[in-house]
Amino acid sequence: MADTLKLDAFLPYRLSIASNRVSNAIATTYQALFGLRIPEWRLVAVLAEGGAMTQQALGARTHMDKVTVSRAAIALGDRGLVTRAPNPADQRSHLLTLSEAGWQLYREIAPKALELERQIFEAFSAEELGRLRQMLERLEAAAAAVEPARG
């Protein structure tokens, strides 16, 4: 029966499992070494790469929902890792920026993140990694095409 779902052969399930395993390995390290959860680290990384952003822009960039972004931003603010400033383009929002402590933390974490990536993918050749990146881009585009529009 070709129509029978076998979970272990269902690619969306397998992608989810692989993603969860990679995320859990990384999350454990970030939590143990830096006291950060994955959403908090994502905000730090995006702010380091892109500069000041609103929470809405951070949500769009990280593909995290607004509640997750808000909680991560509050946690980072409470630790003095980000600063908030009025958004001159929209008085209803604020711009988040890494503080000096946030930049220092980023400079400590970024090399560790790259090392974890190297360890996870060390069994893959450069050619395989290039193909994987291309396939992920195609997969993300295909999923976006069938994803219901967000209201």
Side-chain angles (χ1 to χ4, degrees), residues 45-87:
V46 169
L47 290 170
E49 291 174 12
M53 286 187 206
T54 64
Q55 286 186 196
Q56 183 178 7
L58 285 163
R61 174 74 170 74
T62 61
H63 298 278
M64 295 188 301
D65 64 80
K66 62 183 173 182
V67 171
T68 302
V69 171
S70 178
R71 287 181 180 156
I74 289 168
L76 293 172
D78 288 348
R79 289 182 59 184
L81 299 173
V82 296
T83 59
R84 282 174 129 49
N87 181 359

mmCIF file of all heavy atoms in Angstrom, residues 45-87:
data_model
loop_
_atom_site.group_PDB
_atom_site.id
_atom_site.type_symbol
_atom_site.label_atom_id
_atom_site.label_comp_id
_atom_site.label_asym_id
_atom_site.label_seq_id
_atom_site.Cartn_x
_atom_site.Cartn_y
_atom_site.Cartn_z
ATOM 1 N N ALA A 45 22.771 36.465 17.954
ATOM 2 C CA ALA A 45 23.461 36.279 16.679
ATOM 3 C C ALA A 45 22.901 37.204 15.604
ATOM 4 O O ALA A 45 23.660 37.831 14.856
ATOM 5 C CB ALA A 45 23.371 34.820 16.234
ATOM 6 N N VAL A 46 21.579 37.321 15.528
ATOM 7 C CA VAL A 46 20.962 38.172 14.509
ATOM 8 C C VAL A 46 21.277 39.645 14.766
ATOM 9 O O VAL A 46 21.578 40.395 13.831
ATOM 10 C CB VAL A 46 19.441 37.918 14.429
ATOM 11 C CG1 VAL A 46 18.741 38.959 13.581
ATOM 12 C CG2 VAL A 46 19.181 36.526 13.865
ATOM 13 N N LEU A 47 21.240 40.062 16.014
ATOM 14 C CA LEU A 47 21.590 41.454 16.326
ATOM 15 C C LEU A 47 23.059 41.736 16.024
ATOM 16 O O LEU A 47 23.403 42.827 15.574
ATOM 17 C CB LEU A 47 21.257 41.779 17.785
ATOM 18 C CG LEU A 47 19.766 41.848 18.113
ATOM 19 C CD1 LEU A 47 19.546 41.936 19.618
ATOM 20 C CD2 LEU A 47 19.099 43.012 17.397
ATOM 21 N N ALA A 48 23.920 40.750 16.261
ATOM 22 C CA ALA A 48 25.340 40.927 15.947
ATOM 23 C C ALA A 48 25.541 41.057 14.436
ATOM 24 O O ALA A 48 26.352 41.862 13.980
ATOM 25 C CB ALA A 48 26.161 39.765 16.495
ATOM 26 N N GLU A 49 24.786 40.286 13.674
ATOM 27 C CA GLU A 49 24.919 40.312 12.214
ATOM 28 C C GLU A 49 24.250 41.535 11.585
ATOM 29 O O GLU A 49 24.760 42.103 10.624
ATOM 30 C CB GLU A 49 24.287 39.066 11.593
ATOM 31 C CG GLU A 49 25.026 37.785 11.870
ATOM 32 C CD GLU A 49 24.276 36.562 11.356
ATOM 33 O OE1 GLU A 49 23.298 36.714 10.588
ATOM 34 O OE2 GLU A 49 24.665 35.454 11.730
ATOM 35 N N GLY A 50 23.078 41.917 12.124
ATOM 36 C CA GLY A 50 22.269 42.919 11.438
ATOM 37 C C GLY A 50 22.113 44.250 12.129
ATOM 38 O O GLY A 50 21.496 45.153 11.571
ATOM 39 N N GLY A 51 22.616 44.387 13.331
ATOM 40 C CA GLY A 51 22.448 45.650 14.045
ATOM 41 C C GLY A 51 21.071 45.784 14.667
ATOM 42 O O GLY A 51 20.341 44.806 14.812
ATOM 43 N N ALA A 52 20.708 46.995 15.025
ATOM 44 C CA ALA A 52 19.459 47.278 15.735
ATOM 45 C C ALA A 52 18.249 46.810 14.938
ATOM 46 O O ALA A 52 18.177 47.016 13.729
ATOM 47 C CB ALA A 52 19.351 48.773 16.013
ATOM 48 N N MET A 53 17.304 46.169 15.646
ATOM 49 C CA MET A 53 16.086 45.664 15.011
ATOM 50 C C MET A 53 14.929 45.710 15.986
ATOM 51 O O MET A 53 15.123 45.619 17.196
ATOM 52 C CB MET A 53 16.254 44.208 14.579
ATOM 53 C CG MET A 53 17.100 43.993 13.388
ATOM 54 S SD MET A 53 17.016 42.254 12.910
ATOM 55 C CE MET A 53 18.581 42.107 12.105
ATOM 56 N N THR A 54 13.740 45.784 15.432
ATOM 57 C CA THR A 54 12.532 45.655 16.245
ATOM 58 C C THR A 54 12.293 44.181 16.530
ATOM 59 O O THR A 54 12.837 43.301 15.851
ATOM 60 C CB THR A 54 11.307 46.212 15.501
ATOM 61 O OG1 THR A 54 11.082 45.410 14.330
ATOM 62 C CG2 THR A 54 11.474 47.681 15.140
ATOM 63 N N GLN A 55 11.456 43.912 17.526
ATOM 64 C CA GLN A 55 11.108 42.528 17.821
ATOM 65 C C GLN A 55 10.397 41.893 16.636
ATOM 66 O O GLN A 55 10.597 40.712 16.336
ATOM 67 C CB GLN A 55 10.254 42.444 19.087
ATOM 68 C CG GLN A 55 11.062 42.663 20.331
ATOM 69 C CD GLN A 55 10.286 42.446 21.621
ATOM 70 O OE1 GLN A 55 10.741 42.873 22.652
ATOM 71 N NE2 GLN A 55 9.152 41.806 21.581
ATOM 72 N N GLN A 56 9.585 42.677 15.928
ATOM 73 C CA GLN A 56 8.891 42.152 14.755
ATOM 74 C C GLN A 56 9.907 41.732 13.685
ATOM 75 O O GLN A 56 9.779 40.661 13.086
ATOM 76 C CB GLN A 56 7.922 43.194 14.193
ATOM 77 C CG GLN A 56 7.113 42.670 13.018
ATOM 78 C CD GLN A 56 6.111 43.701 12.512
ATOM 79 O OE1 GLN A 56 6.092 44.843 12.950
ATOM 80 N NE2 GLN A 56 5.276 43.282 11.587
ATOM 81 N N ALA A 57 10.909 42.549 13.446
ATOM 82 C CA ALA A 57 11.941 42.216 12.469
ATOM 83 C C ALA A 57 12.739 40.992 12.912
ATOM 84 O O ALA A 57 13.091 40.140 12.096
ATOM 85 C CB ALA A 57 12.870 43.402 12.248
ATOM 86 N N LEU A 58 13.002 40.898 14.215
ATOM 87 C CA LEU A 58 13.711 39.726 14.733
ATOM 88 C C LEU A 58 12.891 38.455 14.525
ATOM 89 O O LEU A 58 13.438 37.409 14.172
ATOM 90 C CB LEU A 58 14.037 39.920 16.216
ATOM 91 C CG LEU A 58 15.177 40.886 16.501
ATOM 92 C CD1 LEU A 58 15.152 41.338 17.958
ATOM 93 C CD2 LEU A 58 16.517 40.269 16.145
ATOM 94 N N GLY A 59 11.583 38.547 14.742
ATOM 95 C CA GLY A 59 10.715 37.390 14.521
ATOM 96 C C GLY A 59 10.735 36.954 13.067
ATOM 97 O O GLY A 59 10.821 35.750 12.769
ATOM 98 N N ALA A 60 10.668 37.920 12.164
ATOM 99 C CA ALA A 60 10.697 37.590 10.734
ATOM 100 C C ALA A 60 12.036 36.971 10.345
ATOM 101 O O ALA A 60 12.091 36.001 9.583
ATOM 102 C CB ALA A 60 10.426 38.835 9.908
ATOM 103 N N ARG A 61 13.105 37.515 10.879
ATOM 104 C CA ARG A 61 14.455 37.033 10.521
ATOM 105 C C ARG A 61 14.743 35.651 11.076
ATOM 106 O O ARG A 61 15.400 34.846 10.448
ATOM 107 C CB ARG A 61 15.474 38.056 11.034
ATOM 108 C CG ARG A 61 16.910 37.681 10.895
ATOM 109 C CD ARG A 61 17.393 37.781 9.448
ATOM 110 N NE ARG A 61 18.825 37.653 9.361
ATOM 111 C CZ ARG A 61 19.504 36.514 9.519
ATOM 112 N NH1 ARG A 61 18.871 35.396 9.778
ATOM 113 N NH2 ARG A 61 20.808 36.504 9.422
ATOM 114 N N THR A 62 14.241 35.355 12.286
ATOM 115 C CA THR A 62 14.534 34.080 12.941
ATOM 116 C C THR A 62 13.449 33.027 12.737
ATOM 117 O O THR A 62 13.630 31.880 13.125
ATOM 118 C CB THR A 62 14.709 34.277 14.458
ATOM 119 O OG1 THR A 62 13.493 34.800 15.005
ATOM 120 C CG2 THR A 62 15.883 35.190 14.771
ATOM 121 N N HIS A 63 12.318 33.431 12.180
ATOM 122 C CA HIS A 63 11.156 32.539 12.001
ATOM 123 C C HIS A 63 10.641 32.024 13.346
ATOM 124 O O HIS A 63 10.154 30.895 13.446
ATOM 125 C CB HIS A 63 11.489 31.372 11.057
ATOM 126 C CG HIS A 63 11.847 31.828 9.685
ATOM 127 N ND1 HIS A 63 10.917 32.143 8.736
ATOM 128 C CD2 HIS A 63 13.057 32.064 9.115
ATOM 129 C CE1 HIS A 63 11.518 32.533 7.635
ATOM 130 N NE2 HIS A 63 12.817 32.503 7.842
ATOM 131 N N MET A 64 10.763 32.856 14.364
ATOM 132 C CA MET A 64 10.214 32.522 15.676
ATOM 133 C C MET A 64 8.962 33.363 15.886
ATOM 134 O O MET A 64 8.870 34.487 15.390
ATOM 135 C CB MET A 64 11.231 32.811 16.796
ATOM 136 C CG MET A 64 12.459 31.935 16.731
ATOM 137 S SD MET A 64 13.576 32.088 18.168
ATOM 138 C CE MET A 64 14.028 33.807 18.183
ATOM 139 N N ASP A 65 7.993 32.820 16.638
ATOM 140 C CA ASP A 65 6.760 33.569 16.891
ATOM 141 C C ASP A 65 7.035 34.729 17.844
ATOM 142 O O ASP A 65 8.051 34.768 18.536
ATOM 143 C CB ASP A 65 5.665 32.653 17.432
ATOM 144 C CG ASP A 65 6.020 32.071 18.790
ATOM 145 O OD1 ASP A 65 5.863 32.792 19.796
ATOM 146 O OD2 ASP A 65 6.448 30.904 18.844
ATOM 147 N N LYS A 66 6.094 35.686 17.866
ATOM 148 C CA LYS A 66 6.336 36.922 18.618
ATOM 149 C C LYS A 66 6.433 36.687 20.122
ATOM 150 O O LYS A 66 7.160 37.412 20.800
ATOM 151 C CB LYS A 66 5.304 37.986 18.275
ATOM 152 C CG LYS A 66 3.889 37.665 18.586
ATOM 153 C CD LYS A 66 2.988 38.806 18.101
ATOM 154 C CE LYS A 66 1.528 38.453 18.237
ATOM 155 N NZ LYS A 66 0.680 39.521 17.727
ATOM 156 N N VAL A 67 5.760 35.683 20.657
ATOM 157 C CA VAL A 67 5.860 35.400 22.093
ATOM 158 C C VAL A 67 7.267 34.899 22.431
ATOM 159 O O VAL A 67 7.872 35.332 23.414
ATOM 160 C CB VAL A 67 4.784 34.384 22.533
ATOM 161 C CG1 VAL A 67 5.001 33.922 23.961
ATOM 162 C CG2 VAL A 67 3.388 34.980 22.367
ATOM 163 N N THR A 68 7.803 34.007 21.602
ATOM 164 C CA THR A 68 9.158 33.491 21.824
ATOM 165 C C THR A 68 10.190 34.612 21.728
ATOM 166 O O THR A 68 11.094 34.717 22.563
ATOM 167 C CB THR A 68 9.479 32.376 20.812
ATOM 168 O OG1 THR A 68 8.500 31.334 20.954
ATOM 169 C CG2 THR A 68 10.867 31.805 21.021
ATOM 170 N N VAL A 69 10.033 35.474 20.727
ATOM 171 C CA VAL A 69 10.945 36.606 20.562
ATOM 172 C C VAL A 69 10.836 37.539 21.764
ATOM 173 O O VAL A 69 11.850 37.985 22.314
ATOM 174 C CB VAL A 69 10.666 37.363 19.245
ATOM 175 C CG1 VAL A 69 11.461 38.667 19.181
ATOM 176 C CG2 VAL A 69 10.997 36.486 18.049
ATOM 177 N N SER A 70 9.623 37.822 22.195
ATOM 178 C CA SER A 70 9.417 38.719 23.328
ATOM 179 C C SER A 70 10.067 38.165 24.591
ATOM 180 O O SER A 70 10.765 38.889 25.311
ATOM 181 C CB SER A 70 7.921 38.938 23.552
ATOM 182 O OG SER A 70 7.713 39.757 24.672
ATOM 183 N N ARG A 71 9.850 36.903 24.869
ATOM 184 C CA ARG A 71 10.446 36.282 26.070
ATOM 185 C C ARG A 71 11.966 36.299 26.003
ATOM 186 O O ARG A 71 12.644 36.575 27.005
ATOM 187 C CB ARG A 71 9.939 34.851 26.233
ATOM 188 C CG ARG A 71 8.515 34.794 26.697
ATOM 189 C CD ARG A 71 8.037 33.379 26.874
ATOM 190 N NE ARG A 71 6.653 33.376 27.317
ATOM 191 C CZ ARG A 71 5.819 32.382 27.130
ATOM 192 N NH1 ARG A 71 6.220 31.289 26.520
ATOM 193 N NH2 ARG A 71 4.580 32.459 27.567
ATOM 194 N N ALA A 72 12.509 35.991 24.823
ATOM 195 C CA ALA A 72 13.966 35.998 24.664
ATOM 196 C C ALA A 72 14.511 37.414 24.837
ATOM 197 O O ALA A 72 15.535 37.617 25.499
ATOM 198 C CB ALA A 72 14.347 35.427 23.299
ATOM 199 N N ALA A 73 13.838 38.393 24.273
ATOM 200 C CA ALA A 73 14.278 39.789 24.392
ATOM 201 C C ALA A 73 14.236 40.245 25.847
ATOM 202 O O ALA A 73 15.158 40.934 26.315
ATOM 203 C CB ALA A 73 13.411 40.691 23.517
ATOM 204 N N ILE A 74 13.191 39.874 26.568
ATOM 205 C CA ILE A 74 13.091 40.236 27.989
ATOM 206 C C ILE A 74 14.236 39.595 28.776
ATOM 207 O O ILE A 74 14.888 40.253 29.595
ATOM 208 C CB ILE A 74 11.718 39.830 28.558
ATOM 209 C CG1 ILE A 74 10.632 40.741 27.972
ATOM 210 C CG2 ILE A 74 11.719 39.871 30.081
ATOM 211 C CD1 ILE A 74 9.209 40.257 28.231
ATOM 212 N N ALA A 75 14.499 38.313 28.516
ATOM 213 C CA ALA A 75 15.577 37.615 29.228
ATOM 214 C C ALA A 75 16.924 38.273 28.946
ATOM 215 O O ALA A 75 17.737 38.466 29.860
ATOM 216 C CB ALA A 75 15.601 36.142 28.831
ATOM 217 N N LEU A 76 17.154 38.621 27.690
ATOM 218 C CA LEU A 76 18.420 39.277 27.339
ATOM 219 C C LEU A 76 18.514 40.669 27.960
ATOM 220 O O LEU A 76 19.584 41.077 28.421
ATOM 221 C CB LEU A 76 18.566 39.358 25.819
ATOM 222 C CG LEU A 76 18.728 38.024 25.088
ATOM 223 C CD1 LEU A 76 18.662 38.232 23.573
ATOM 224 C CD2 LEU A 76 20.023 37.334 25.488
ATOM 225 N N GLY A 77 17.397 41.387 27.984
ATOM 226 C CA GLY A 77 17.372 42.706 28.621
ATOM 227 C C GLY A 77 17.642 42.615 30.110
ATOM 228 O O GLY A 77 18.401 43.419 30.661
ATOM 229 N N ASP A 78 17.025 41.628 30.763
ATOM 230 C CA ASP A 78 17.222 41.442 32.204
ATOM 231 C C ASP A 78 18.678 41.152 32.541
ATOM 232 O O ASP A 78 19.150 41.502 33.619
ATOM 233 C CB ASP A 78 16.344 40.299 32.729
ATOM 234 C CG ASP A 78 14.871 40.665 32.780
ATOM 235 O OD1 ASP A 78 14.532 41.864 32.622
ATOM 236 O OD2 ASP A 78 14.044 39.738 32.965
ATOM 237 N N ARG A 79 19.394 40.528 31.621
ATOM 238 C CA ARG A 79 20.816 40.213 31.833
ATOM 239 C C ARG A 79 21.728 41.342 31.361
ATOM 240 O O ARG A 79 22.953 41.234 31.454
ATOM 241 C CB ARG A 79 21.185 38.924 31.101
ATOM 242 C CG ARG A 79 20.589 37.694 31.750
ATOM 243 C CD ARG A 79 20.986 36.432 31.051
ATOM 244 N NE ARG A 79 22.429 36.249 31.013
ATOM 245 C CZ ARG A 79 23.011 35.237 30.381
ATOM 246 N NH1 ARG A 79 22.288 34.334 29.754
ATOM 247 N NH2 ARG A 79 24.328 35.129 30.375
ATOM 248 N N GLY A 80 21.143 42.407 30.826
ATOM 249 C CA GLY A 80 21.945 43.523 30.351
ATOM 250 C C GLY A 80 22.676 43.237 29.043
ATOM 251 O O GLY A 80 23.658 43.906 28.724
ATOM 252 N N LEU A 81 22.177 42.273 28.270
ATOM 253 C CA LEU A 81 22.836 41.900 27.019
ATOM 254 C C LEU A 81 22.309 42.680 25.821
ATOM 255 O O LEU A 81 22.971 42.735 24.783
ATOM 256 C CB LEU A 81 22.696 40.392 26.782
ATOM 257 C CG LEU A 81 23.325 39.522 27.878
ATOM 258 C CD1 LEU A 81 22.982 38.052 27.662
ATOM 259 C CD2 LEU A 81 24.832 39.728 27.932
ATOM 260 N N VAL A 82 21.106 43.241 25.956
ATOM 261 C CA VAL A 82 20.546 44.091 24.902
ATOM 262 C C VAL A 82 20.031 45.373 25.531
ATOM 263 O O VAL A 82 19.698 45.417 26.715
ATOM 264 C CB VAL A 82 19.396 43.406 24.102
ATOM 265 C CG1 VAL A 82 19.888 42.186 23.348
ATOM 266 C CG2 VAL A 82 18.221 43.073 24.990
ATOM 267 N N THR A 83 19.991 46.401 24.703
ATOM 268 C CA THR A 83 19.391 47.663 25.126
ATOM 269 C C THR A 83 18.193 47.935 24.227
ATOM 270 O O THR A 83 18.142 47.464 23.098
ATOM 271 C CB THR A 83 20.397 48.824 25.027
ATOM 272 O OG1 THR A 83 20.834 48.941 23.678
ATOM 273 C CG2 THR A 83 21.590 48.590 25.939
ATOM 274 N N ARG A 84 17.245 48.692 24.769
ATOM 275 C CA ARG A 84 16.049 49.093 24.021
ATOM 276 C C ARG A 84 16.092 50.599 23.829
ATOM 277 O O ARG A 84 16.399 51.337 24.756
ATOM 278 C CB ARG A 84 14.791 48.791 24.829
ATOM 279 C CG ARG A 84 14.329 47.401 24.862
ATOM 280 C CD ARG A 84 13.155 47.315 25.842
ATOM 281 N NE ARG A 84 11.940 46.714 25.447
ATOM 282 C CZ ARG A 84 11.765 45.557 24.862
ATOM 283 N NH1 ARG A 84 12.791 44.870 24.523
ATOM 284 N NH2 ARG A 84 10.591 45.071 24.607
ATOM 285 N N ALA A 85 15.721 51.007 22.618
ATOM 286 C CA ALA A 85 15.640 52.442 22.337
ATOM 287 C C ALA A 85 14.388 52.675 21.500
ATOM 288 O O ALA A 85 13.967 51.789 20.752
ATOM 289 C CB ALA A 85 16.879 52.902 21.572
ATOM 290 N N PRO A 86 13.784 53.843 21.628
ATOM 291 C CA PRO A 86 12.617 54.142 20.791
ATOM 292 C C PRO A 86 12.976 54.009 19.312
ATOM 293 O O PRO A 86 14.084 54.331 18.902
ATOM 294 C CB PRO A 86 12.278 55.598 21.138
ATOM 295 C CG PRO A 86 12.901 55.823 22.476
ATOM 296 C CD PRO A 86 14.123 54.951 22.521
ATOM 297 N N ASN A 87 12.017 53.516 18.553
ATOM 298 C CA ASN A 87 12.206 53.368 17.113
ATOM 299 C C ASN A 87 11.768 54.672 16.444
ATOM 300 O O ASN A 87 10.584 54.983 16.441
ATOM 301 C CB ASN A 87 11.372 52.189 16.600
ATOM 302 C CG ASN A 87 11.536 51.949 15.123
ATOM 303 O OD1 ASN A 87 12.259 52.662 14.442
ATOM 304 N ND2 ASN A 87 10.865 50.926 14.638
#
